[in-house]
Structures are given as C-alpha cells and as structure tokens.
Amino acid sequence: MKINKLVFALLAALVLGACSSSPKVSPVPSIEEDAEPPQGPKYLEYSENYEVTISTPSLVVFNWHRDYYSGGAHGMQEKTWYVIDKKANETIRRSDVFKPGSEGQLQELIESALRKRDKLESYEALSSGVYFEDTVEITDNYFFSRTGVGFHWDPYEIAPYSEGIIEIILPYGDLRSLLNQKGLALAEEVQKG
C-alpha cells in the first residue's frame, strides 16, 4: 500500500533525525513477506500504529503494530520491532549484536524465560504448557529495552491465539557473555538513557 510505505518512510526519517532523507530501513527478515498491511475488501477492519520506545544518539527502537479483522471468531494482531542504527542509517539485525555461536545459550535463556512466564518447572517440556513445540525458534523480531533484550512472537507463532502476543525480556546481566562489542556498547547506551 503506497500510503503505508510513505508513512513508514516519514516515520523513519523523523525518528532517525540526523539521517539522510531516504532512510535504508529494512524489515525484520522473518517477517519481510508480511510487512505490507492486509489489502482488499476481505478485511472489515484494519488499524496500525508506530511506537518509538528507545531513542539515543546512535540508536532508535520502534515497533509497527497492526490489528485487523476479516470475519470469523477473532481479529489478528502483529507487531514488528525495528532496531535502527542512526549513524549507519540501517536496521541492526539480531546477528549484528550477538556473538557467532551463541545461539545455543540464547535458546536456553529464551526457553527458561518462557518456562518462568508460564510457571513451568525446568524439567517440564514447553509443550506441556501452552507452546506448540518443546523447542522455540529464536525469533529475529527482537528489540532493546532499558532492562534487556526483548524477543517477540505474534499469535500462532509459538502458541495458540488465546496466548496473544508473547514478549520476553532477557536481562542484560544474563546476556553479557553472548553480546558482541557492538551489542554491549548499544546495551550500555540504552541503559544510560
């Protein structure tokens, strides 16, 4: 939708401030195909909003939240997070801030946080709770917060619709050994506010 692309470009230019007038912001890779809002008469309702959650001299974090309804039992919601390097004028991907080979440890931390969220014991399989599988794929839909790095899953990605959007935040203290130099520098900058 041309209007949406224009709004997104204007928002990106606004939050990037010092960046050029044509920002090179790219969507999160795992959501790239769904980055366009639903189109056509089959959608009875559609709304979206953008929220800037962090803005520092070199970083901006914002999300694009979409709600839509096409009939049936319920509507749907999706949220895409963007972590933008203001100086380089581009998206910072999860792989840009975590050390290579840290995926196994990151996976364990995420699954532990999901167990804690749903009051599952460490020996219980995730699927014994609300999750579809015993292992949850590390999402590229991530964000920096004041307290840690967040990970986001839309309804149906890892659990039933009734669970809604699932977001967890892993504290920076737990991630120190997994973040690379860039990730550590960004975490420090975000924490200082």
Side-chain angles (χ1 to χ4, degrees):
M1 188 177 229
K2 289 181 183 179
I3 276 255
N4 188 59
K5 287 181 182 178
L6 176 62
V7 168
F8 185 76
L10 290 173
L11 175 70
L14 176 67
V15 298
L16 294 174
C19 295
S20 70
S21 60
S22 57
K24 298 179 280 186
V25 178
S26 59
V28 176
S30 65
I31 305 188
E32 193 168 317
E33 295 171 16
D34 299 326
E36 287 296 319
Q39 298 180 29
K42 65 182 178 180
Y43 293 98
L44 303 172
E45 294 178 20
Y46 178 80
S47 66
E48 65 183 49
N49 64 48
Y50 300 88
E51 177 188 21
V52 176
T53 58
I54 302 282
S55 184
T56 68
S58 63
L59 176 78
V60 67
V61 178
F62 69 97
N63 65 63
W64 175 28
H65 189 164
R66 299 163 305 283
D67 286 295
Y68 52 92
Y69 177 71
S70 59
H74 56 74
M76 190 61 182
Q77 57 180 321
E78 299 172 347
K79 186 188 284 186
T80 305
W81 283 92
Y82 295 89
V83 180
I84 313 251
D85 182 328
K86 288 181 179 179
K87 295 174 183 173
N89 196 19
E90 59 190 19
T91 302
I92 302 171
R93 304 200 182 279
R94 178 177 52 88
S95 59
D96 296 334
V97 296
F98 283 93
K99 292 178 182 174
S102 65
E103 292 81 12
Q105 291 173 291
L106 184 57
Q107 181 90 32
E108 288 176 19
L109 289 172
I110 288 172
E111 291 178 6
S112 177
L114 291 171
R115 280 189 180 81
K116 185 176 180 181
R117 174 191 178 271
D118 293 308
K119 298 173 180 65
L120 293 172
E121 297 295 331
S122 60
Y123 59 84
E124 292 181 279
L126 286 173
S127 63
S128 68
V130 299
Y131 303 102
F132 296 137
E133 303 287 333
D134 290 334
T135 301
V136 173
E137 189 173 323
I138 302 172
T139 180
D140 286 330
N141 200 358
Y142 87 104
F143 57 96
F144 279 84
S145 77
R146 298 281 180 218
T147 59
V149 176
F151 294 88
H152 173 99
W153 296 269
D154 288 327
Y156 294 123
E157 283 191 301
I158 61 172
Y161 176 84
S162 59
E163 290 300 306
I165 283 177
I166 296 175
E167 285 185 353
I168 58 165
I169 296 179
L170 301 179
Y172 288 120
D174 294 348
L175 297 173
R176 294 252 178 251
S177 65
L178 305 181
L179 292 169
N180 61 24
Q181 289 298 338
K182 181 175 186 170
L184 289 169
L186 291 173
E188 185 175 324
E189 183 175 333
V190 165
Q191 289 176 84
K192 286 181 181 175

